[in-house]
Amino acid sequence: MQDKNAMSVMIDRAFADLQSGDIQSARSLCDQVMQISPAHADALHLFGLIVAAENDTAKATEWIERAIAIDPNEPIYRLNIAALYAKLKNPDCVADHLRAAAGLAPNDANIRLRLASALLRLEEFESAAEAFEIAHHLEPNNVKALLGAVKAKLSAGALDDAYSTAMVAREKWPSNVAVLKTVCGAAIHLRKWQSLYETAAVWRQINPADKDAHRCLASAYAEMLDVKKARDAFKPIIDAASPQPADLVTYARYCLLAFDYDEAGHALDQAQKLAPQMSELKYAQARYNLFLGDLAKSEQYCREAIGLDPANPLCYAHMATITKGNIEDELFSVMQNMADDDSNPLASRATLYLSVGAVLHERKDFSGAMQAFDRGNELNRELIRIEKIEYDRNKAEENRRRDIRFFAPSDSPINFAPGRAAPVFIIGAPRSGTTLMESILAAHPQVTGAGELEALPVIHDAAFRWAEEKNVKRFQDIPLEKLTAWREEYFSAWPNVEDAQYVVDKQPMNIRSIGLIKNLFPEAKLIHVRRNPIETCFSIYRHDFSKGWPFASSLSDTGHYYGEYARAMAHWHEVLQQDLLHVQYEDLVDNFERHARDIISHCGLEWSDNCMAFYEVKRPIRTFSSAQVRSPISKNKQRVMDQYGEMLTHLIEALKMAEVDLVSGAHIGSP
């Protein structure tokens, strides 16, 4: 008994010496114990720690393994040897010993945390999540345990569970930056943009100097299509000292989305000086030059981007756009492989498949093209399902009736104070010729083209919210000061119009706002362009519209949407008569000058020959048609029905069900 007590005292002294840095004394005491008892587990374990302190980690594990062989039920041996195996980069042994330690000390939260972290490194994500959750159960106020569980669940693909756990953490620690950052990460994975916005806004308020908070907030705004707020949320990062090239490129991307071309160009110039060979910069420069109309320079930058980073999927999609589907086999093969690669993000793969379809369409492989279009839209539908923004046919029908009822024009228009210029609203479905119409008008010296402004859809929704709060049933009953404020809000969204007499807005969502326009902008000119519905709908399906237009990922839903649009336009043509000019796209193409003159005359302008050469006018255009309208009109007589035939059956059936004329696109049924 005395020998045991003496050895215990010697072991305690040796451990104290080791902690104080007196390795020689610790080693001497351990030697004495092992001479008395060569199989003394504590002495063998401590000697292993001494050898580790002498930087012989591999030898140290051998000593502690001997201790474990003698006493396998001591958790501290397992913890210390796990730490040594971690230094030796042997994650399997680390996890094995931590599992054993957790079994020996099941109520020790720290051991569970260490085990969970080890399992995470081994990519045993489900087991890691379980270990983190046990640690949290044992120690409910341990933030790291709950956040670790979120990370493990995200890695395991249990996205909904990860998000729920993240929200539990946010409820418990609403001001903890690490928690807010984790919630933002989970929201991004699940594409919960409203949650990302709310969490990032709190994060930025708590720590306004944290650039990641600004990044997350800007990303939320962009995904919710509030691009000007995205730009403004990101700007503090650029205004800080020495912005990074990647941030300058991201800021330029937001500026492009917000039609702020001057600011985008300035940011890209700064990035060029700092990192001229960055692939993301070259890609952004390609996009910038596409919108400005320099197609050759856009293609050049895109090829440079691919050369710097052949794995950037968006570069290949851009090449398909800029070349109108005429790309070389080598690039096309890479594009196909990247679209098929499950490791690429869903959104990127969807865009790539649609681009693959565009190339095959140009190569007249219509069956292959349709397969690619279907696959791309299948992925888009999955994204739509994740974001819970599916197209609701009943709601679309109800909204059409509601818009017509609420925004019924007044018999006595309000005499507002004139604005800087008068708006021209081009009304039409996506891919119906609205960009061409804007280009004709914007070529006139007294007209500025503003593109697809977001302002009116915002005002439209704000009007309904205000009316609901105030229990107002008709737009006509809203007070003049409120209407005037909305007018000013819209005018403030215009670009620099200089001396222009008219400003063109071709936002496709303005279809629902014709009554609002007549009430709020009685001086406005309205032009409706309509195209063959099969051509229009299939063109929508072939392009990546699903983010803003969830119906676009389904041919039958697109046909239903077109029917609602046709019904609405039939109503407004009947109500507005000559105030709403109708232009049939096919007639415009066949007899361009005649109809172009009608369009200019409708706006009360003198004819300008510039309108005939609209494609020569240098101005920014940010739509899918930006490359097409840089060239003269092509009278393409090939019909998609001749090319795709029975592959469009679902679309044809939907259009017939919606009572749409299959040639003109007019509504031919009852209101």
Side-chain angles (χ1 to χ4, degrees):
M1 179 65 70
Q2 287 182 341
D3 286 343
K4 285 186 178 180
N5 289 339
M7 287 189 290
S8 294
V9 170
M10 294 170 72
I11 289 294
D12 290 342
R13 284 175 53 196
F15 184 72
D17 288 342
L18 177 61
Q19 285 187 311
S20 67
D22 190 349
I23 296 176
Q24 185 174 355
S25 175
R27 176 183 273 273
S28 175
L29 289 166
C30 265
D31 281 339
Q32 293 178 50
V33 172
M34 288 188 291
Q35 286 176 5
I36 298 169
S37 177
H40 195 290
D42 284 345
L44 293 168
H45 168 250
L46 183 55
F47 198 78
L49 298 180
I50 293 167
V51 173
E54 295 171 339
N55 297 318
D56 192 346
T57 306
K59 196 68 176 175
T61 60
E62 295 178 11
W63 284 97
I64 299 178
E65 289 284 14
R66 288 172 62 186
I68 291 171
I70 294 167
D71 184 359
N73 296 321
E74 176 52 60
I76 193 66
Y77 299 170
R78 304 284 188 169
L79 292 175
N80 285 331
I81 199 169
L84 294 175
Y85 277 125
K87 287 185 178 181
L88 294 173
K89 301 188 185 308
N90 189 334
D92 291 312
C93 286
V94 173
D96 287 344
H97 283 289
L98 289 175
R99 282 192 187 95
L104 295 167
N107 296 321
D108 190 314
N110 180 57
I111 293 176
R112 292 288 177 177
L113 275 176
R114 289 181 60 180
L115 171 60
S117 298
L119 293 170
L120 202 58
R121 285 190 290 272
L122 282 173
E123 299 185 0
E124 295 183 21
F125 301 124
E126 292 181 2
S127 297
E130 182 182 2
F132 277 123
E133 291 198 315
I134 293 173
H136 175 250
H137 176 74
L138 294 170
E139 201 172 289
N141 291 322
N142 192 315
V143 177
K144 291 182 179 179
L146 210 52
L147 298 190
V150 174
K151 183 177 180 181
K153 290 174 182 180
L154 287 174
S155 300
L159 303 184
D160 289 329
D161 197 11
Y163 180 74
S164 297
T165 304
M167 295 307 289
V168 169
R170 184 180 172 187
E171 186 175 345
K172 293 185 70 169
W173 300 287
S175 300
N176 185 300
V177 169
V179 169
L180 295 172
K181 189 172 185 176
T182 300
V183 172
C184 284
I188 290 170
H189 272 83
L190 268 84
R191 305 177 73 83
K192 291 183 177 291
W193 308 125
Q194 183 65 30
S195 176
L196 177 62
Y197 157 71
E198 292 169 357
T199 307
V202 173
W203 179 6
R204 186 180 67 169
Q205 185 177 16
I206 292 171
N207 190 356
D210 193 326
K211 292 181 180 179
D212 282 340
H214 291 275
R215 291 186 182 101
C216 286
L217 186 58
S219 179
Y221 279 130
E223 291 291 351
M224 294 190 296
L225 305 181
D226 198 338
V227 291
K228 289 188 176 180
K229 286 184 179 178
R231 175 200 61 191
D232 295 343
F234 203 88
K235 196 170 190 303
I237 298 175
I238 305 305
D239 291 340
S242 304
Q244 295 300 305
D247 286 330
L248 287 164
V249 170
T250 300
Y251 178 64
R253 180 167 61 86
Y254 290 140
C255 289
L256 286 176
L257 292 173
F259 302 103
D260 191 348
Y261 299 105
D262 290 341
E263 188 76 357
H266 179 63
L268 292 175
D269 288 344
Q270 286 183 276
Q272 176 71 28
K273 293 175 183 176
L274 296 171
Q277 295 304 307
M278 186 170 66
S279 175
E280 285 297 328
L281 168 63
K282 298 295 184 184
Y283 173 67
Q285 290 170 323
R287 299 289 292 171
Y288 175 70
N289 280 280
L290 171 63
F291 297 152
L292 292 185
D294 194 335
L295 306 187
K297 190 175 286 187
S298 178
E299 181 176 345
Q300 173 195 329
Y301 278 125
C302 193
R303 290 187 182 278
E304 290 178 15
I306 291 172
L308 291 167
D309 180 12
N312 186 335
L314 296 180
C315 290
Y316 297 90
H318 183 81
M319 279 296 294
T321 298
I322 202 69
T323 63
K324 301 177 185 177
N326 295 301
I327 66 172
E328 54 266 42
D329 289 344
E330 182 181 354
L331 289 182
F332 182 55
S333 177
V334 175
M335 183 191 298
Q336 288 178 302
N337 291 336
M338 294 180 80
D340 291 335
D341 187 349
D342 291 343
S343 67
N344 283 322
L346 280 180
S348 296
R349 293 180 63 212
T351 299
L352 283 168
Y353 272 119
L354 294 174
S355 298
V356 167
V359 174
L360 292 173
H361 176 83
E362 290 302 316
R363 296 182 178 189
K364 303 192 184 308
D365 179 0
F366 301 120
S367 176
M370 194 65 181
Q371 290 178 25
F373 294 141
D374 286 344
R375 182 61 179 136
N377 280 300
E378 181 184 340
L379 296 177
N380 272 332
R381 286 195 296 276
E382 188 171 345
L383 291 171
I384 288 168
R385 180 190 57 76
I386 292 171
E387 294 188 31
K388 296 180 171 58
I389 56 171
E390 295 95 334
Y391 180 65
D392 185 330
R393 297 188 181 193
N394 291 332
K395 187 174 182 180
E397 294 170 11
E398 156 115 23
N399 286 346
R400 170 181 54 81
R401 291 189 289 267
R402 179 200 65 172
D403 293 340
I404 288 173
R405 183 172 58 249
F406 181 71
F407 290 117
S410 171
D411 294 331
S412 303
I414 299 172
N415 188 22
F416 291 104
R420 289 176 290 166
V424 177
F425 292 96
I426 297 174
I427 309 298
R431 306 300 298 163
S432 64
T434 56
T435 302
L436 171 60
M437 193 73 67
E438 182 199 22
S439 297
I440 294 168
L441 282 161
H444 195 284
Q446 292 179 275
V447 179
T448 291
E452 297 178 357
L453 296 175
E454 301 292 337
L456 197 63
V458 171
I459 293 168
H460 182 110
D461 293 337
F464 274 114
R465 287 195 301 271
W466 190 93
E468 186 175 352
E469 290 172 6
K470 305 296 183 181
N471 196 29
V472 170
K473 303 301 182 184
R474 300 187 310 163
F475 186 80
Q476 299 172 27
D477 297 330
I478 296 176
L480 178 61
E481 60 270 21
K482 192 65 184 175
L483 302 180
T484 302
W486 281 331
R487 272 175 63 89
E488 290 306 313
E489 179 181 341
Y490 179 78
F491 291 142
S492 68
W494 280 357
N496 181 13
V497 302
E498 297 180 343
D499 297 326
Q501 187 175 342
Y502 288 103
V503 176
V504 182
D505 180 349
K506 62 171 291 290
Q507 168 61 249
M509 288 184 70
N510 291 345
I511 290 168
R512 63 185 186 144
S513 303
I514 297 173
L516 169 62
I517 291 168
K518 288 302 293 181
N519 281 296
L520 203 57
F521 305 101
E523 74 275 33
K525 303 297 183 182
L526 289 99
I527 303 170
H528 172 217
V529 58
R530 188 175 64 209
R531 183 184 176 198
N532 176 281
I534 302 171
E535 300 284 344
T536 300
C537 292
F538 188 53
S539 186
I540 290 171
Y541 187 70
R542 288 162 51 187
H543 290 80
D544 201 356
F545 277 108
S546 60
K547 181 69 180 176
W549 304 91
F551 62 80
S553 63
S554 160
L555 282 175
S556 58
D557 281 347
T558 302
H560 179 272
Y561 157 81
Y562 194 98
E564 288 306 296
Y565 145 71
R567 279 186 171 86
M569 294 314 303
H571 168 81
W572 289 116
H573 274 294
E574 181 178 351
V575 170
L576 301 180
Q577 299 291 321
Q578 69 272 14
D579 286 348
L580 176 57
L581 177 67
H582 168 67
V583 179
Q584 189 71 31
Y585 175 81
E586 290 78 12
D587 294 341
L588 173 64
V589 171
D590 286 340
N591 196 338
F592 179 76
E593 183 173 354
R594 174 193 158 191
H595 290 285
R597 285 180 177 274
D598 288 345
I599 292 163
I600 299 302
S601 175
H602 180 72
C603 296
L605 293 167
E606 295 293 328
W607 174 251
S608 170
D609 288 337
N610 291 352
C611 299
M612 291 296 293
F614 62 87
Y615 48 87
E616 295 179 353
V617 177
K618 297 297 183 184
R619 69 183 189 90
I621 300 174
R622 188 181 64 81
T623 72
F624 284 116
S625 302
S626 57
Q628 293 172 313
V629 296
R630 305 296 185 181
S631 304
I633 288 180
S634 172
K635 296 185 179 181
N636 183 4
K637 295 297 184 181
Q638 287 187 302
R639 301 187 315 152
V640 295
M641 273 301 297
D642 296 333
Q643 297 164 332
Y644 290 86
E646 292 183 357
M647 291 180 272
L648 300 178
T649 297
H650 293 307
L651 172 59
I652 303 300
E653 290 176 349
L655 290 170
K656 288 180 178 178
M657 183 72 68
E659 300 178 299
V660 171
D661 182 85
L662 297 183
V663 177
S664 69
H667 181 246
I668 54 176
S670 55

